[in-house]
Amino acid sequence: MSAPSLREAAIDLLDEYAARIDDDRLEDWVDLFAEECSYHILPRENHDEGLPLPIMLCPNKNVLRDRIVSLRHANKYNLHYDRHLITGVRARPDGADHVRIEANFAVYQTSLEGESRLFSVGRYRDRARKDGEKLLIVEKLVIIDTFAVPHLIATPL
Amino acid sequence: MSAPSLREAAIDLLDEYAARIDDDRLEDWVDLFAEECSYHILPRENHDEGLPLPIMLCPNKNVLRDRIVSLRHANKYNLHYDRHLITGVRARPDGADHVRIEANFAVYQTSLEGESRLFSVGRYRDRARKDGEKLLIVEKLVIIDTFAVPHLIATPL
Amino acid sequence: MSAPSLREAAIDLLDEYAARIDDDRLEDWVDLFAEECSYHILPRENHDEGLPLPIMLCPNKNVLRDRIVSLRHANKYNLHYDRHLITGVRARPDGADHVRIEANFAVYQTSLEGESRLFSVGRYRDRARKDGEKLLIVEKLVIIDTFAVPHLIATPL
């Protein structure tokens, strides 16, 4: 892929990422990850100080799948709609087959009572693998600007 | 248009859409629509359950024009500034001449007292017609994440 | 530069602009400006009425540098993390060597107590100079939608 098409592919990946969460198609969201993958949520403070204590840690795709199944069956609380705004997508090659991606995000949640509000802001630091013209997520690091998450993180960020 | 230029054209259209509302150039905003067009605002809940009960329904361009005229003459209340953030613009061909566009949005309003706050989040589902190198909106569907609109929708979303 | 690459260059510039502030690399942020440059923050009301009374005025790069040094040494208050979302980046040539750039932005701040909230929304109206494949900021005009800035502007917008 050329440099522009690398950014295009990264934008495509993150746009799909946002759309699948926001449309509540979480099972399809898992398909954006490679079989060998990790998904971490880390407060910025911990990240900056080198304390790798994540709020959430999914060390492989099966844990991600389990999490979605559990969300579907158990989580009757904290029902809401998500809405992601992802901006500033930057991509650079990492060897022949991989890409490093960074982006800023804001996630809004709307409660069933109809209140929309800011839920979380932060940045993504991802590593993806080329898979034809597409990219699959190998490592997803969600660095949130606050350690104080308003309430339980139910759906993925 | 090629696939990349299709996205570029969709981004151009939505960037102009946002700028003309945010700059209070609402008469120019109407020019982004085809003569035969529709503009609907629908709460997500209604949309997902197939209840097509819009909050606002403009079945053609003349109704849009009337609405802007009425806004200019009658609306002395709820004066504010709008600010749109539109992200995740995706475009796909719909036949030879049309394009389907989806995007996420957040709209902020700033009151004359100087308070900026989140007004609405949701997504656009649009259909546009190619018009040379540009696109004209044929159908605009604004799906807002909450049925509870903080106050009267005066300016378009 | 071609029209698409002009927009790409403008997006690259603003993505770097956001990342360097949000990563607290303010000394690197200054490097995005040309030696002869200006940086103004202006409330929208003043801008629209032609009252050029800026909230902040940096008439050249040395003032920007001083400001960052002063921020580093003196500002022990209002510590926070910034997060920029920049969307709707439009670029058009301005003579052979310059580019006019417009964009919308939202800035979120997260306090050390862990609260993330909207800090400011508005638009950028910039002028940049081509410098090889990159752009350097010659004039930065930050037009904020509210004159009422929640608290002291410490870090740049």
Side-chain angles (χ1 to χ4, degrees), chain C residues 105-136:
Chain C
F105 72 83
V107 177
Y108 303 90
Q109 289 193 344
T110 301
S111 68
L112 295 195
E113 290 75 40
E115 192 202 2
S116 294
R117 62 189 187 74
L118 181 65
F119 179 67
S120 184
V121 294
R123 71 180 192 274
Y124 295 135
R125 285 186 59 186
D126 303 342
R127 192 161 173 262
R129 197 180 66 218
K130 294 177 192 174
D131 183 52
E133 286 304 299
K134 303 215 165 194
L135 296 172
L136 284 172

Side-chain angles (χ1 to χ4, degrees), chain A residues 4 7-8 44-45 48 85-90 102-106 108 118-123 143 145-149, chain C residues 8-9 11-12 15-16 18-19 21-25 81-87 108 110-118:
Chain A
R7 167 149 63 177
E8 292 296 304
R44 178 172 175 161
E45 207 168 10
D48 289 356
L85 296 194
I86 301 176
T87 64
V89 179
R90 287 160 293 152
E102 297 210 27
N104 279 0
F105 71 84
Y108 302 90
L118 181 65
F119 179 68
S120 183
V121 293
R123 72 179 189 275
I143 304 169
D145 282 349
T146 177
F147 58 89
V149 177
Chain C
E8 292 297 304
I11 289 175
D12 282 344
D15 285 351
E16 272 300 313
I21 299 175
D22 294 352
D23 292 348
D24 197 26
R25 296 186 288 122
Y81 296 133
D82 286 305
R83 185 65 51 197
H84 284 67
L85 297 195
I86 301 175
T87 63
Y108 303 90
T110 301
S111 68
L112 295 195
E113 290 75 40
E115 192 202 2
S116 294
R117 62 189 187 74
L118 181 65

Side-chain angles (χ1 to χ4, degrees), chain C:
Chain C
M1 294 183 196
S2 63
S5 70
L6 207 63
R7 167 147 66 176
E8 292 297 304
I11 289 175
D12 282 344
L13 175 65
L14 288 178
D15 285 351
E16 272 300 313
Y17 182 97
R20 293 182 189 191
I21 299 175
D22 294 352
D23 292 348
D24 197 26
R25 296 186 288 122
L26 299 176
E27 291 76 8
D28 299 338
W29 170 78
V30 174
D31 291 339
L32 298 174
F33 288 81
E35 204 57 43
E36 296 295 311
C37 67
S38 65
Y39 173 88
H40 292 186
I41 299 179
L42 200 64
R44 177 170 174 161
E45 207 168 9
N46 292 15
H47 178 265
D48 289 356
E49 293 175 8
L51 301 170
L53 288 174
I55 292 179
M56 191 189 306
L57 171 65
C58 291
N60 61 58
K61 195 168 177 175
N62 280 331
V63 176
L64 277 183
R65 282 194 193 97
D66 284 354
R67 189 173 157 72
I68 301 306
V69 171
S70 137
L71 248 177
R72 293 298 187 201
H73 287 89
N75 196 329
K76 307 294 183 204
Y77 311 102
N78 187 23
L79 293 174
H80 65 270
Y81 296 133
D82 286 305
R83 185 65 51 197
H84 284 67
L85 297 195
I86 301 175
T87 63
V89 180
R90 286 160 294 153
R92 60 176 203 275
D94 178 22
D97 296 328
H98 290 80
V99 188
R100 295 275 177 184
I101 305 172
E102 298 210 27
N104 279 0
F105 72 83
V107 177
Y108 303 90
Q109 289 193 344
T110 301
S111 68
L112 295 195
E113 290 75 40
E115 192 202 2
S116 294
R117 62 189 187 74
L118 181 65
F119 179 67
S120 184
V121 294
R123 71 180 192 274
Y124 295 135
R125 285 186 59 186
D126 303 342
R127 192 161 173 262
R129 197 180 66 218
K130 294 177 192 174
D131 183 52
E133 286 304 299
K134 303 215 165 194
L135 296 172
L136 284 172
I137 303 168
V138 174
E139 295 169 27
K140 179 98 197 167
L141 185 56
V142 181
I143 304 168
I144 54 179
D145 282 350
T146 176
F147 57 89
V149 179
H151 48 82
L152 189 71
I153 295 175
T155 43
L157 285 176

Side-chain angles (χ1 to χ4, degrees), chain A residues 28-93:
Chain A
D28 299 338
W29 170 78
V30 175
D31 290 339
L32 298 174
F33 288 81
E35 204 56 43
E36 297 294 311
C37 67
S38 64
Y39 173 88
H40 291 185
I41 300 179
L42 200 65
R44 178 172 175 161
E45 207 168 10
N46 292 16
H47 178 265
D48 289 356
E49 293 176 6
L51 301 170
L53 287 175
I55 291 179
M56 191 188 306
L57 171 65
C58 292
N60 61 59
K61 195 167 177 174
N62 280 330
V63 176
L64 278 184
R65 284 194 192 97
D66 285 352
R67 192 176 155 69
I68 301 306
V69 170
S70 136
L71 249 176
R72 293 297 187 202
H73 287 89
N75 196 331
K76 307 294 183 204
Y77 311 103
N78 187 23
L79 294 174
H80 64 270
Y81 296 132
D82 287 305
R83 186 64 51 199
H84 283 68
L85 296 194
I86 301 176
T87 64
V89 179
R90 287 160 293 152
R92 58 176 203 276

Side-chain angles (χ1 to χ4, degrees), chain A residues 105-119:
Chain A
F105 71 84
V107 178
Y108 302 90
Q109 290 192 344
T110 300
S111 68
L112 295 196
E113 289 74 41
E115 191 202 3
S116 295
R117 63 190 187 73
L118 181 65
F119 179 68

